[in-house]
Amino acid sequence: MTESSPVVSRNPADPSDVVMRIPTPGAFAAADTVERARAAQPDWLTGGAAARSAALTAVAESIEALAEELSALAVREVGKPLTEARAEVARTAAIWRYYAQAPFESTGAVHETAQGQGLLLTRCRPHGVAGLITPWNFPFAILSWKAAPALAAGNSVVLKPAPEATACARRLAEILQRALPSGVFTMIPGGAAEGEAVVSTADVVSFTGSTEVGDAVVSAATARGIPVQAEMGGLNAAIVLPDADIGRAAAHIASAIAGYAGQKCTATSRVIAVGAALDPMREALTEALRALPVGDPADPATMCGPLISEHARDQVEGTSYGLPVLVGGPAAPGHGWYTSPTLVEKVPPDHRLLRKEVFGPIAALLPADDLSHAVRITNSSPYGLVTSVHTAGLDAVLHGLDHLGTGMIRVNAPSTGVDFHLPFGGTKASSHGPREQGRAALGFYTTSRTYTLAPDKTT
Ligand code: NAD
């Protein structure tokens, strides 16, 4: 197992500002925490649907009451621009309200017996302890869209958040622990060692993060025979047809490339302009990226703040090295880990930018001869999370819906943006296992039992 060191999270806009320094428990203590969660789970389940619903509603109410404090913490700890941070906190409260209704839903069905008398029943039951492993970029929403359905279904939860977002996770954990019985929700600070301990002891595992770590988590959980889902990286494309409203498409795509400094699995990193769309798109997108407000994430007008770390900033800047840069490149609006929104062109097909997620505000502009060619380029990526299609024509939309290989397709909208009440996920290196969010999540956190009830005597 990997050794642990203390967690230190820093303000990406001002790295001298240490947001949290906290010791990590190590793998053995993490495994003990899972055992305590296992002991707390049966009472949580048998306490009834009304109690679970009330607890989840109380979480939503607390998040709403503390919205400004939570938003400011996300700005400070993970550099999320304030307007986006507020939107994430509002969405987080809505997620808890949505799943607060779930405990009252039907958990099964009644069937006729094939022969003779009696009843056949199916009933969904929780797995036990849900082990959740989360990234830093949506420090409230992602852990909530995993924890809320897991708890609604009657599981207890152990969360291992990303080190970079430990203060956000700890604050949300305090809110949850006030609303839930003792031991039903626990947050373990730490890194790989604690994450591995959770994967090796929980009864069901939900992971979001990079494809490299996700693959290891899936292998470890699969070897134990427990259910696992992993939401991982993206290398998402925006396809622009010549009939699109180019100005509007450029605004959507610029926000998808550089909003929150491109640190979203759904960010756009390939812009595929079909035929005559190439020249106007080059001009409009270059202008939109140049005009996109970069700076202090605490300013409500900012759309692109700093990168999460110096390493991340250096990696983004290294990616454009040697390529024709239309706009962007290194920038230093403060002493934080900033870079400028960047658009490059004439990128060779085997270049890193077209093969591996960068997770920063950079994209390649690529030409396509026609729509089929654009779809082939889109599908050539090792990832398959989301594609946006920009067009005024129904034919292009229908062709895209039939031939694009990504888990999500968004027409005349940025590739970024999530509707928490619908299934979320991708294909290939982007996702493994059943979908998250919506009603699909409740299925993942439960397992179906089949009951046969036969009469003692036939009548
Ligand atoms: P990461 O993979 O570095 O870390 C994710 C989590 O895994 C963290 O909590 C980390 O501590 C933990 N971890 C690390 N090693 C582990 C191990 N060996 N065993 C168990 N857990 C381990 O990712 P990150 O840098 O925190 O987040 C950015 C990544 O997340 C990007 O690749 C992004 O695309 C992805 N992401 C995906 C989605 C999605 O829904 N598809 C959403 C948000 C972010």
Side-chain angles (χ1 to χ4, degrees):
M1 267 194 192
T2 319
E3 284 300 312
S4 267
S5 48
V7 161
V8 181
S9 73
R10 289 176 185 278
N11 179 343
D14 174 9
S16 65
D17 174 21
V18 173
V19 182
M20 170 144 284
R21 185 186 298 272
I22 187 171
T24 51
F28 287 114
D32 273 357
T33 302
V34 173
E35 286 313 318
R36 282 199 299 279
R38 187 165 284 119
Q41 186 265 335
D43 285 351
W44 172 240
L45 176 64
T46 55
R52 274 181 277 139
S53 177
L56 269 60
T57 302
V59 172
E61 286 167 353
S62 296
I63 291 168
E64 281 158 356
L66 297 168
E68 273 307 292
E69 180 208 318
L70 295 172
S71 304
L73 187 57
V75 170
R76 182 174 168 218
E77 191 175 41
V78 297
K80 181 160 289 205
L82 180 59
T83 302
E84 276 211 45
R86 285 178 173 149
E88 180 182 345
V89 171
R91 175 151 56 109
T92 300
I95 288 168
W96 287 96
R97 282 200 188 282
Y98 172 75
Y99 285 112
Q101 301 311 308
F104 294 114
E105 285 189 7
S106 163
T107 56
V110 183
H111 296 263
E112 296 301 309
T113 55
Q115 283 150 3
Q117 293 178 307
L119 283 178
L120 296 176
L121 310 176
T122 58
R123 188 186 188 200
C124 289
R125 308 304 286 155
H127 294 287
V129 182
L132 311 182
I133 299 176
T134 53
W136 48 265
N137 63 335
F138 286 86
F140 301 121
I142 291 182
L143 72 87
S144 294
W145 78 51
K146 294 178 189 296
L151 291 166
N155 298 277
S156 56
V157 166
V158 174
L159 166 74
K160 210 301 288 165
E164 297 88 340
T166 304
C168 290
R170 194 169 78 158
R171 191 70 186 98
L172 199 57
E174 286 165 1
I175 293 169
L176 266 73
Q177 282 162 349
R178 271 205 305 273
L180 297 164
S182 172
V184 169
F185 179 93
T186 316
M187 190 277 275
I188 303 176
E194 289 76 13
E196 287 169 6
V198 170
V199 175
S200 63
T201 46
D203 302 311
V204 55
V205 167
S206 180
F207 168 90
T208 298
S210 63
T211 298
E212 293 70 26
V213 176
D215 285 346
V217 165
V218 168
S219 298
T222 305
R224 290 186 55 226
I226 59 166
V228 57
Q229 67 182 179
E231 286 304 333
M232 304 176 279
L235 194 63
N236 309 300
I239 298 177
V240 186
L241 278 293
D243 65 358
D245 177 335
I246 295 291
R248 194 160 173 268
H252 281 322
I253 294 169
S255 78
I257 293 171
Y260 190 22
Q263 300 172 113
K264 300 177 190 175
C265 57
T266 52
T268 293
S269 46
R270 299 177 294 155
V271 182
I272 305 171
V274 176
L278 182 62
D279 290 341
M281 196 60 203
R282 180 191 290 113
E283 194 178 323
L285 189 54
T286 300
E287 197 39 53
L289 286 170
R290 188 173 286 127
L292 194 122
V294 181
D296 181 359
D299 180 342
T302 294
M303 288 180 69
C304 178
L307 275 292
I308 190 68
S309 66
E310 187 174 14
H311 172 74
R313 196 257 326 264
D314 293 348
Q315 194 174 20
V316 174
E317 294 186 349
T319 301
S320 62
Y321 183 76
L323 294 171
V325 174
L326 293 165
V327 61
H335 57 289
W337 295 313
Y338 290 92
T339 192
S340 293
T342 299
L343 185 66
V344 293
E345 64 175 352
K346 300 189 172 38
V347 183
D350 57 351
H351 192 277
R352 181 193 192 286
L353 182 53
L354 303 183
R355 305 306 305 161
K356 204 162 169 2
E357 180 186 57
V358 179
F359 221 54
I362 180 167
L365 179 64
L366 306 167
D369 301 335
D370 53 26
L371 179 58
S372 301
H373 186 202
V375 168
R376 280 201 305 281
I377 297 172
T378 303
N379 290 345
S380 68
S381 154
Y383 302 84
L385 193 55
V386 57
T387 309
S388 69
V389 180
H390 304 266
T391 179
L394 184 60
D395 285 0
V397 173
L398 293 175
H399 184 86
L401 298 185
D402 280 348
H403 295 96
L404 286 166
T406 49
M408 295 171 290
I409 297 167
R410 291 167 60 85
V411 177
N412 295 324
S415 60
T416 50
V418 172
D419 296 293
F420 62 80
H421 54 303
L422 295 182
F424 175 93
T427 61
K428 300 191 279 186
S430 291
S431 295
H432 172 94
R435 292 285 188 250
E436 292 205 273
Q437 306 197 46
R439 294 351 252 173
L442 295 164
F444 175 68
Y445 289 109
T446 55
T447 181
S448 175
R449 305 264 169 84
T450 302
Y451 304 139
T452 304
L453 308 186
D456 184 34
K457 302 183 183 59
T458 46
T459 54

